[in-house]
Amino acid sequence: MKIILFGATGMVGQGVLRECLLSSLVEQVLVVGRASVGVSDPKLREIVRPEVGELAPVESELVGYDACFFCLGVSSVGMNEADYRRVTYDLTLSVARVLARVNPQSVFIYVSGAGTDSSERGRSMWARVKGATENAVRELPLRTYSFRPGYIQPLHGVTSKTRLYSLVYRVVAPLYPLLRRVFPRYVNTTEAIGRAMLAVAEQGGPSRVLTPADINLAADT
């Protein structure tokens, strides 16, 4: 498979990139982002753009890919709904529309989160916006899947760029095996998310929306 990856410098994206580069299923990974990932690998190509949603100048370089893993996202903390929608809904749709045009019927996997509100009418702002994004992407001529991970434990040197989150993950890391046993339906790892994306891109998924338990199950196939 040939994969396009957005958000490779974020915590989830780092883990997904690692699994793509390790997988024998993957022939090439094209990373699109605002900064280089700082990784050298024969499979890896990069397009560095200050505005990743403006793809017209590089559209021809996106042709011929089998799947896109969209791991780009920001925290809603401290943001109003209009700004959060701009960097979540608008950005995701601008990318997905281009890929639907140049690679119709390819797989598009969007990372949202547990608690996303498909009705778009709930009280939680981030959940409404994520739900609207999932719904809009699903209308495009792509084979779309939404991943809704729960608590995510970074593995293999993957780190969060947010200092507070990074500290929390380091503190929780020794407890993760216990969390996995006690709450198996609510926790994931960066490794599991990456492996699950590859499995779904190759074989399809159990549904258009994958819960934390679905993600772990797909990762083990």
Side-chain angles (χ1 to χ4, degrees):
M1 293 186 291
K2 295 177 68 176
I3 307 294
I4 300 175
L5 174 59
F6 284 81
T9 60
M11 189 183 79
V12 172
Q14 290 174 50
V16 172
L17 176 59
R18 177 184 185 273
E19 298 310 310
C20 286
L21 296 178
L22 288 174
S23 175
S24 61
L25 297 173
V26 178
E27 171 189 348
Q28 185 179 99
V29 184
L30 174 62
V31 168
V32 183
R34 298 184 182 93
S36 173
V37 294
V39 173
S40 179
D41 190 281
K43 293 183 181 181
L44 179 63
R45 289 184 56 231
E46 290 191 88
I47 295 177
V48 177
R49 293 187 56 73
E51 297 294 335
V52 296
E54 298 177 4
L55 297 175
V58 296
E59 192 170 302
S60 62
E61 298 182 54
L62 307 176
V63 177
Y65 284 82
D66 303 295
C68 174
F69 300 159
F70 196 88
C71 306
L72 193 61
V74 297
S75 169
S76 64
V77 176
M79 298 185 72
N80 61 47
E81 185 162 351
D83 287 342
Y84 185 68
R85 186 178 179 90
R86 178 177 54 80
V87 297
T88 301
Y89 180 97
D90 293 348
L91 177 57
T92 306
L93 266 292
S94 69
V95 170
R97 286 171 180 144
V98 170
L99 296 177
R101 185 167 61 251
V102 301
N103 298 314
Q105 300 306 314
S106 62
V107 174
F108 188 92
I109 298 180
Y110 172 63
V111 178
S112 56
T116 292
D117 178 15
S118 297
S119 76
E120 306 178 35
R121 295 190 298 270
R123 299 178 64 180
S124 173
M125 179 271 284
W126 77 264
R128 290 195 305 271
V129 175
K130 288 283 193 178
T133 307
E134 287 186 356
N135 293 339
V137 168
R138 198 172 297 131
E139 296 300 315
L140 298 174
L142 294 164
R143 291 185 288 149
T144 60
Y145 296 92
S146 298
F147 273 37
R148 295 183 179 181
Y151 171 80
I152 303 171
Q153 182 63 43
L155 300 179
H156 308 299
V158 169
T159 59
S160 171
K161 292 189 293 185
T162 304
R163 183 176 300 178
L164 176 60
Y165 292 171
S166 182
L167 175 61
V168 169
Y169 291 131
R170 288 200 298 271
V171 170
V172 173
L175 302 175
Y176 177 75
L178 176 62
L179 288 176
R180 180 68 187 269
R181 287 197 301 271
V182 177
F183 304 108
R185 298 178 62 84
Y186 302 101
V187 296
N188 302 109
T189 66
T190 50
E191 178 183 59
I193 293 171
R195 293 181 64 177
M197 285 190 177
L198 291 170
V200 169
E202 184 194 26
Q203 305 168 17
S207 65
R208 301 291 289 276
V209 175
L210 279 76
T211 66
D214 294 328
I215 292 168
N216 288 333
L217 185 61
D220 291 336
T221 59

